[in-house]
């Protein structure tokens, strides 16, 4: 395998790196901590200043033409090849920044789904404001009784004249409190087998009958929400794909996640920061970075993160040869988020009693970011399909193991 870039790709990488470093330093004056950790679900609902920074960063990404390199030029994207997309991903994660500004879900998968399965009118109406950041999107899939078993969802939509009338509840909806629009999976045929009676709607979050209630996470932030629908009217023309075929549309959405590689967590950066931390602390009476146990753990983390990177390159190579992305997305998601959790737990172990001190405490190490990471890391092993579900997928679809 040859991992070197062509001169054009190297030029693109250098320009991008320079732009990202300059822009992020200008916009996130207090650092980009936690912004790239997930789908912005770790953003605090109460932190208006942070949100404004993210919108400004989004605006600049769009202005510079970097916001949606993977979208076709026809719809305002960069029309970039897979290698440029991979370079973009590497460089953004290197700085711990969010991949798609303030509109992660829209740019990553909702927009591409609308391009693939939406009507011309939907493409014209919705795609551009996703890019500019004028309309922020969230994803209403999970419900109190439908998470891993998503097809068990119960939020009902009944067609009445020109609109669907929606009643029910979603939960864990990241960014609902900042969103103008939502992708909403609803049950439109309660008598059909559970995968066959679901439809995929584009719902205006400002419609009468929508109530958003923030949920406070273990970190003390409130980045995701419960959303209630009380006779909410969604125009018929906002149905994507066929009526009762929403499961297929949502699978298409998931495929975009697969294409974009699975491993999108800045865990390499976190490991580098952990190595730096080990140079500042004592462990067991000696400088931590000289302690054999610490060195062994750090070396293991670095080796594992290199494996993750090589796995991503392997996936990229096979996509460049025209192959459909394989199991790497489940593997990558599982491995990256579990590695991130182990890294966060080890930081906690190295910090000892200081590990629990959070932002605001005068003795908190590095502003309490390690305490925050230790609390936040577990959520990432659950979001977008829990580790157990990823194990099931790998066992059943990759290793072809018999179902228990
Ligand atoms: C940070 C974060 C952000 C999120 N953002 C969104 C969002 O924006 N939109 C959205 O719709 N949802 C979102 N979610 C919800 C997420 O998709 C669900 O939490 C996830 O799918 C798990 O569903 P659940 O919470 O209902 O747990 P359950 O499905 O009830 O699972 C409970 C436990 O049982 C295990 N389990 C379940 N089924 C199996 C099985 N078949 N085999 C083995 N073990 C199993 C699970 O792994 C888990 O440990 C978010 C979650 C988090 C943590």
């Amino acid at each position: 395998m040859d991992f070197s870039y062509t001169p054009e790709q190297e030029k693109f990488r250098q320009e991008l790196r320079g732009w990202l470093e300059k822009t992020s330093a200008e916009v996130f004056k207090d650092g980009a901590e936690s912004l790239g950790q997930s789908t912005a679900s770790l953003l605090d609902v109460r932190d208006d200043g942070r949100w404004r920074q993210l919108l400004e960063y989004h605006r600049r990404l769009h202005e510079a033409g970097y916001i949606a390199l993977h979208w076709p030029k026809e719809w305002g994207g960069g029309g970039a090849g897979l290698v440029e997309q991979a370079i973009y991903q590497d460089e953004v994660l290197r700085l711990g920044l969010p991949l798609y500004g303030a509109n992660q879900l829209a740019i990553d998968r909702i927009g591409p789904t609308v391009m693939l399965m939406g009507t011309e009118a939907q493409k014209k109406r919705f795609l551009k404001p996703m890019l500019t950041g004028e309309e922020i999107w969230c994803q209403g899939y999970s419900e109190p009784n439908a998470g891993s078993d998503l097809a068990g969802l119960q939020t009902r939509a009944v067609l009445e004249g020109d609109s669907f009338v929606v009643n029910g509840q979603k939960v864990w909806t990241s960014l609902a409190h900042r969103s103008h629009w939502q992708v909403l999976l609803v049950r439109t045929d309660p008598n059909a087998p559970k995968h066959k009676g679901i439809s995929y709607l584009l719902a205006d979050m400002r419609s009468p009958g929508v109530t958003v209630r923030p949920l406070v996470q273990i970190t003390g932030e409130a980045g995701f929400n419960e959303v209630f629908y009380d006779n909410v009217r969604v125009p018929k023309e906002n149905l994507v794909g066929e009526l009762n075929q929403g499961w297929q549309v949502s699978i298409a959405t998931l495929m975009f996640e697969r294409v974009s590689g699975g491993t999108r967590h800045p865990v390499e950066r976190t490991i580098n920061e952990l190595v730096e931390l080990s140079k500042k602390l004592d462990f067991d009476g000696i400088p931590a970075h000289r302690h054999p146990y610490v060195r062994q753990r750090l070396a293991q983390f670095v080796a594992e993160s290199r494996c993750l990177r090589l796995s991503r390159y392997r996936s990229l190579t096979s996509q460049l040869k025209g192959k459909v992305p394989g199991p790497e997305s489940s593997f990558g998601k599982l491995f990256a988020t579990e590695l991130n959790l182990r890294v966060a737990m080890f930081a906690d172990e190295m910090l000892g009693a200081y590990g629990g001190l959070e932002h605001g405490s005068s003795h908190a190490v590095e502003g309490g970011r390690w305490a925050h990471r230790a609390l936040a890391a577990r959520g990432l092993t659950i979001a977008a399909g829990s580790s157990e579900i990823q194990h099931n997928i790998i066992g059943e679809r990759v290793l072809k193991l018999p179902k228990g």
Side-chain angles (χ1 to χ4, degrees):
M1 280 190 275
D2 177 10
F3 295 145
S4 51
Y5 295 130
T6 63
E8 293 77 33
Q9 288 163 350
E10 183 55 31
K11 182 166 174 281
F12 169 75
R13 190 185 66 76
Q14 280 180 14
E15 280 173 10
L16 174 65
R17 180 175 288 194
W19 187 90
L20 288 171
E21 283 176 353
K22 179 171 175 292
T23 308
S24 62
E26 280 171 12
V27 177
F28 303 114
K29 293 194 175 65
D30 43 355
E33 185 63 28
S34 95
L35 285 174
Q37 297 271 322
S38 75
T39 57
S41 52
L42 303 175
L43 272 183
D44 195 335
V45 65
R46 293 159 292 198
D47 193 347
D48 288 332
R50 199 72 167 144
W51 180 244
R52 273 196 298 274
Q53 286 179 343
L54 197 54
L55 287 176
E56 172 60 13
Y57 176 65
H58 187 109
R59 192 190 65 71
R60 294 199 198 189
L61 268 181
H62 178 247
E63 199 178 77
Y66 290 131
I67 190 68
L69 291 177
H70 59 299
W71 283 29
K73 289 202 163 148
E74 181 193 359
W75 294 110
L82 282 170
V83 175
E84 282 74 18
Q85 292 176 40
I87 292 172
Y88 174 81
Q89 190 163 318
D90 271 357
E91 292 299 322
V92 168
L93 294 183
R94 193 181 77 88
L95 293 176
L97 294 164
L99 274 176
Y100 304 116
N103 224 357
Q104 176 81 19
L105 292 170
I107 309 248
D108 184 28
R109 41 195 121 135
I110 301 171
T113 305
V114 170
M115 278 177 230
L116 186 71
M117 307 191 95
T119 61
E120 282 310 301
Q122 286 168 350
K123 293 177 203 173
K124 287 203 177 96
R125 165 64 188 83
F126 292 114
L127 294 176
K128 191 163 173 234
M130 289 181 185
L131 290 177
T132 59
E134 285 162 291
E135 289 180 349
I136 303 295
W137 285 73
C138 61
Q139 182 169 282
Y141 280 19
S142 306
E143 297 183 3
N145 292 313
S148 303
D149 179 23
L150 183 60
L153 62 90
Q154 289 163 9
T155 294
R156 277 285 273 134
V158 178
L159 197 51
E160 276 182 18
D162 286 343
S163 319
F164 290 95
V165 178
V166 180
N167 280 287
Q169 185 200 338
K170 298 287 171 181
V171 72
W172 317 125
T173 319
S174 305
L175 229 56
H177 56 291
R178 299 291 187 190
S179 295
H180 305 94
W181 287 87
Q182 178 178 52
V183 162
L184 194 52
L185 279 188
V186 288
R187 186 154 302 284
T188 34
D189 183 352
N191 300 318
K194 64 180 183 179
H195 290 90
K196 297 202 168 146
I198 292 171
S199 297
Y200 189 104
L201 303 180
L202 307 176
D204 190 334
M205 295 292 282
R206 296 149 294 186
S207 308
V210 176
T211 306
V212 177
R213 281 199 210 143
L215 289 165
V216 178
Q217 293 147 232
I218 195 170
T219 55
E221 297 158 316
F224 52 24
N225 308 266
E226 297 178 291
V227 185
F228 298 87
Y229 308 85
D230 183 10
N231 288 319
V232 175
R233 297 194 87 87
V234 177
K236 203 162 73 173
E237 61 265 25
N238 288 7
L239 171 73
V240 179
E242 301 291 318
L243 186 67
N244 297 324
Q245 300 295 312
W247 191 252
Q248 278 73 9
V249 184
S250 70
I251 298 284
T253 306
L254 285 177
M255 279 306 289
F256 289 112
E257 198 182 340
R258 294 178 69 123
V259 173
S260 50
T263 51
R264 299 191 263 177
H265 192 273
V267 65
E268 264 188 63
R269 175 185 164 91
T270 311
I271 293 170
N272 290 340
E273 289 173 356
L274 187 68
V275 172
E276 291 309 309
L277 180 70
S278 74
K279 295 177 186 164
K280 298 181 203 160
L281 301 173
D282 279 354
F283 187 82
D284 212 9
I286 61 171
H289 70 289
R290 296 196 186 285
H291 196 290
Y293 168 68
V294 173
R295 293 172 74 84
Q296 179 62 37
R297 294 293 305 268
L298 293 178
Q300 180 74 28
F301 290 145
V302 171
E304 290 184 30
S305 72
R306 291 289 186 276
C307 291
L308 202 52
R309 176 178 280 262
L310 289 176
S311 166
R312 191 145 57 85
Y313 288 161
R314 185 176 55 178
S315 164
L316 182 65
T317 307
S318 94
Q319 287 182 58
L320 285 169
K321 289 180 182 157
K323 295 189 185 148
V324 177
E328 305 85 42
S329 65
S330 282
F331 165 80
K333 196 272 169 184
L334 173 66
F335 199 77
T337 55
E338 290 288 338
L339 176 59
N340 177 59
L341 177 61
R342 282 185 285 125
V343 169
M345 290 300 128
F346 183 63
D348 193 52
E349 188 181 336
M350 260 199 331
L351 285 164
Y354 289 91
L357 297 180
E358 295 180 73
H359 180 69
S361 161
S362 53
H363 295 291
V365 176
E366 297 188 351
R369 68 173 166 177
W370 295 100
H372 182 277
R373 282 173 179 171
L375 294 173
R378 208 164 290 274
L380 302 182
T381 67
I382 299 170
S386 69
S387 291
E388 289 79 10
I389 295 300
Q390 306 303 333
H391 278 124
N392 285 351
I393 293 172
I394 294 167
E396 289 167 17
R397 296 194 208 153
V398 183
L399 302 175
K400 310 279 184 216
L401 298 176
K403 284 194 182 190

